Amino acid sequence: MPVNTPVRCRAVRLEAPGRKLVDATLDAPAPGSGEVLVRVRAAGICHSDAHYRAGIGSTRHPLTLGHEVAGVVESVGRGVASHRAGDRVCLHYLVTCGACRDCRAGREQFCATGRMIGKDRDGGYADFISVPVGNAHPLPASVPFEQGAILMCSSATALHALRKARVGAGDTVAVFGIGGLGTSAIQLARALGAAEVYAVDVNPAKLALAKRHHAVPVDARAADPVEAIRAATGGRGVDAALELIGFARTMEQALEVLAPQGRAALAGLTQERMSIAPYRDVLNREAEIIGVSDHLASEIGELMRFIGRGELDLSDAVTRVVPLEAAAINGALDDLEAFRDDVRTVIRP
Ligand SMILES: [Zn+2]
Ligand SMILES: [Zn+2]
């Protein structure tokens, strides 16, 4: 153990579901065998965290929240040769067994013993976090920690959605919802070779952002977005549509706007039921409806290459930085719950 091994560590924790987060001082985690101890330099505050604070989804308490984490390796546990102190890393949030049928088949997000950091095990609203070495991916020096943190949730899931929808060269793509996922999705669709990307939203600022990233803005308040996109594509529709909001109506629109053999990838969370006209929307066009759940560790390296080439630019994505203090973090979560979420907040310990 290096002599400078930290012994105490600040953390902002959820003591019980439905309560506000509180400041805590804990023993610093020690890296176990095959683990790395990471000094957190940035942790994203995600809408999911507001759900976990409310007790929806989080599985154990007390719990340190935070699943979007970037930092620097502080020390390594026994058997770790690939990383060393000082390495810049960002953390894949799913800790999986690597041995079960789903893990071996490359769909590790369905690992039955998988645990998510900041939800099922302590996360990154802290000075330090210890994770299996396989979860610590190299973060290029050109990518600020704040961006490295938010890459690990919204950008990674946006890429997974595009991969599930098999977006490739020459495709036309519609993206419903230009929030954290959507901003990445419109850029990554281009990077994957999409010929044209239509960005559907109702918020003028988000539509302007989409235009800055070379998507065609479609204002869903001004016109029916399905009709608008059909008109723009000569009646054909799009090869792929991503629903990133979580409304039944926009999921239906993502299906209705498809061209023959089009793919609708649904990533927004909702308890609503959607309605489908099977002949018109699915059979007659050989359309596909595809579910999107999380993302894969293998997609993180790919994401780093897109950002390294400048094809994914998150420089305008982080709009607020707060300290590692419960009051500031609770305030940011309150804003998310109230859908005052034009801002993306990152904690800098
Ligand atoms: Zn997240
Ligand atoms: Zn597994």
Side-chain angles (χ1 to χ4, degrees), residues 172-176 178 186 196-200 215-218 229 232-233 238:
T172 49
V173 179
V175 176
F176 289 80
I178 311 304
I186 57 179
E196 197 74 272
V197 181
Y198 299 92
V200 184
V216 179
V218 177
I229 293 170
T233 54
V238 292

Side-chain angles (χ1 to χ4, degrees), residues 66-329:
H67 59 273
E68 306 178 2
V69 187
V72 174
V73 174
E74 181 80 6
S75 61
V76 303
R78 207 154 31 83
V80 174
S82 56
H83 291 56
R84 51 183 193 185
D87 286 355
R88 291 164 53 91
V89 290
C90 48
L91 306 186
H92 179 44
Y93 61 57
L94 285 176
V95 177
T96 53
C97 80
C100 71
R101 185 173 163 176
D102 287 316
C103 282
R104 282 184 288 125
R107 45 172 190 257
E108 75 267 11
Q109 71 271 50
F110 304 109
C111 175
T113 58
R115 296 285 178 267
M116 178 171 164
I117 68 171
K119 175 172 175 271
D120 310 309
R121 54 183 281 163
D122 282 338
Y125 289 7
D127 287 316
F128 294 98
I129 179 173
S130 192
V131 294
V133 64
N135 284 72
H137 293 258
L139 179 68
S142 58
V143 184
F145 290 110
E146 291 80 8
Q147 293 178 33
I150 62 171
L151 271 175
M152 304 312 288
C153 184
S154 52
S155 304
T157 303
L159 177 61
H160 187 61
L162 290 161
R163 285 293 187 208
K164 291 294 291 179
R166 306 193 301 281
V167 169
D171 279 349
T172 49
V173 179
V175 176
F176 289 80
I178 311 304
L181 273 83
T183 310
S184 290
I186 57 179
Q187 297 180 64
L188 290 167
R190 283 280 191 187
L192 292 171
E196 197 74 272
V197 181
Y198 299 92
V200 184
D201 210 294
V202 295
N203 179 319
K206 292 179 178 181
L207 291 166
L209 177 74
K211 198 171 177 189
R212 278 207 299 284
H213 288 298
H214 312 293
V216 179
V218 177
D219 184 350
R221 280 176 318 179
D224 177 346
V226 175
E227 283 173 20
I229 293 170
R230 285 215 175 271
T233 54
R236 185 172 178 274
V238 292
D239 300 300
L242 270 55
E243 203 283 343
L244 308 176
I245 307 167
F247 288 140
R249 184 66 200 116
T250 39
M251 290 184 174
E252 290 160 3
Q253 289 169 340
L255 188 58
E256 289 163 13
V257 78
L258 294 179
Q261 297 192 337
R263 291 84 60 195
L266 310 184
L269 305 184
T270 177
Q271 304 292 340
E272 295 177 351
R273 303 182 79 86
M274 65 185 283
S275 105
I276 295 169
Y279 177 72
R280 185 195 65 184
D281 294 336
V282 183
L283 287 68
N284 191 40
R285 293 191 204 130
E286 294 196 342
E288 296 174 56
I289 304 170
I290 301 170
V292 179
S293 181
D294 285 314
H295 54 272
L296 305 171
S298 61
E299 287 163 335
I300 289 165
E302 200 180 354
L303 210 49
M304 292 304 162
R305 288 192 289 281
F306 286 126
I307 205 161
R309 293 197 293 260
E311 292 170 325
L312 176 62
D313 173 12
L314 295 177
S315 57
D316 53 9
V318 177
T319 46
R320 182 165 60 175
V321 172
V322 297
L324 180 63
E325 287 168 12
I329 296 169

